């Protein structure tokens, strides 16, 4: 079973990391320091298959890496993780280019919308890494337990077909049975632009436990 690294110690990284440990994976949570208090608490709660380290440690450790940090810091975090440590590996990018500078609800960062995307920016930063954009259109509880909320559709986008197939197998372990391959990483533009729709639904219903379904 492959080793998995989580970049980020927030609720998304914590939820996904916990699910992966329960599935039997060995998981390292990465942060800016190797003794982050949130990561320490997660390790203590998760058992012997959980560990922690700096972003670069996690990048070295993982066969698959999940980017679970905020979109606005993702590129800096991945630089810290080290391109050489991520070379040839699968990087699952679940972040979104959200701009909270004017409060709630956030907008999308101007340079990463419509004609470009955060997924593409990450792939351009890490040309030797196999970037797959997915899971960014739902909240973290739905990410790891999709079947609980119905027969939802999850999208994948990336340049490497084998990487997308491997990510799809992991998604199935999270309960995603309807996985739609949108094509290359440029299609991250579409899924990132779904976030304003997701936010409108969340605000209207005051409930983040939902997803999208493509009826075809």
């Amino acid at each position: 079973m492959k080793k998995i690294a989580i970049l980020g110690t927030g609720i998304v990284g914590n939820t996904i990391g916990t699910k992966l440990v329960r599935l039997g994976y060995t998981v390292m949570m990465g942060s800016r320091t190797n003794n982050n208090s949130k990561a320490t608490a997660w390790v203590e709660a998760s058992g012997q298959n959980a560990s922690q380290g700096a972003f670069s440690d996690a990048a070295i450790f993982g066969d698959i890496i999940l980017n679970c940090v905020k979109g606005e810091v993702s590129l800096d975090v991945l630089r810290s993780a080290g391109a050489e440590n991520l070379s040839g590996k699968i990087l699952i990018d679940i972040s979104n280019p959200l701009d909270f500078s004017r409060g709630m609800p956030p907008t999308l960062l101007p340079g990463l919308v419509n004609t470009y995307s955060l997924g593409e920016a990450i792939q351009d930063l890490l040309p030797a890494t196999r970037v797959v954009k997915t899971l960014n259109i739902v909240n973290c509880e739905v990410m790891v337990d999709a079947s609980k909320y119905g027969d939802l559709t999850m999208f994948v986008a990336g340049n490497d077909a084998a990487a997308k197939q491997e990510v799809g197998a992991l998604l199935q372990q999270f309960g995603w049975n309807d996985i739609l391959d949108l094509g290359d990483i440029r299609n991250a533009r579409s899924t990132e632009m779904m976030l304003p729709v997701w936010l409108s639904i969340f605000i209207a219903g005051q409930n983040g436990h939902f997803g999208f379904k493509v009826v075809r």
Side-chain angles (χ1 to χ4, degrees):
M1 192 171 269
K2 292 195 172 183
K3 296 180 292 184
I4 299 184
I6 301 287
L7 304 182
T9 62
I11 186 171
V12 177
N14 191 299
T15 301
I16 293 178
T18 299
K19 178 69 171 186
L20 289 166
V21 169
R22 289 175 180 168
L23 288 171
Y25 288 95
T26 303
V27 182
M28 177 179 284
M29 180 175 284
S31 60
R32 294 191 184 279
T33 64
N34 59 13
N35 60 350
N36 178 280
S37 59
K38 290 183 179 179
T40 299
W42 174 78
V43 170
E44 290 174 352
S46 299
Q48 62 181 6
N49 285 340
S51 61
Q52 71 183 101
F55 288 131
S56 57
D57 298 323
I60 293 168
F61 172 87
D63 300 306
I64 297 173
I65 296 91
L66 286 99
N67 176 35
C68 300
V69 300
K70 291 181 178 179
E72 62 187 357
V73 300
S74 285
L75 296 176
D76 287 340
V77 165
L78 291 167
R79 290 187 187 99
S80 177
E84 67 282 5
N85 300 326
L86 296 165
S87 180
K89 297 182 177 182
I90 294 175
L91 174 66
I92 302 174
D93 175 37
I94 67 174
S95 60
N96 285 296
L98 297 177
D99 181 357
F100 292 92
S101 64
R102 287 167 289 193
M104 287 290 290
T107 56
L108 298 177
L109 291 166
L112 295 172
V113 63
N114 194 32
T115 58
Y116 200 42
S117 65
L118 181 56
E120 289 172 275
I122 291 172
Q123 185 64 87
D124 288 343
L125 177 69
L126 303 168
T129 302
R130 299 185 289 162
V131 178
V132 178
K133 188 83 183 190
T134 193
L135 289 178
N136 64 303
I137 59 169
V138 293
N139 78 359
C140 55
E141 290 88 358
V142 180
M143 287 179 192
V144 300
D145 197 10
S147 57
K148 179 179 177 180
Y149 303 97
D151 183 22
L152 305 177
T153 302
M154 181 48 64
F155 305 111
V156 295
N159 297 339
D160 189 296
K164 287 187 287 187
Q165 186 174 20
E166 191 165 341
V167 171
L170 183 61
L171 292 176
Q172 288 178 325
Q173 294 179 64
F174 288 173
W176 294 98
N177 297 312
D178 183 18
I179 300 168
L180 183 54
D181 185 348
L182 298 179
D184 66 36
I185 194 63
R186 290 174 297 178
N187 292 285
R189 301 174 193 178
S190 302
T191 63
E192 291 174 13
M193 286 192 289
M194 290 176 72
L195 258 292
V197 179
W198 186 93
L199 284 163
S200 294
I201 297 170
F202 169 71
I203 292 168
Q206 292 297 297
N207 188 339
H209 295 135
F210 66 89
F212 299 94
K213 178 64 181 178
V214 176
V215 180
R216 59 199 189 279

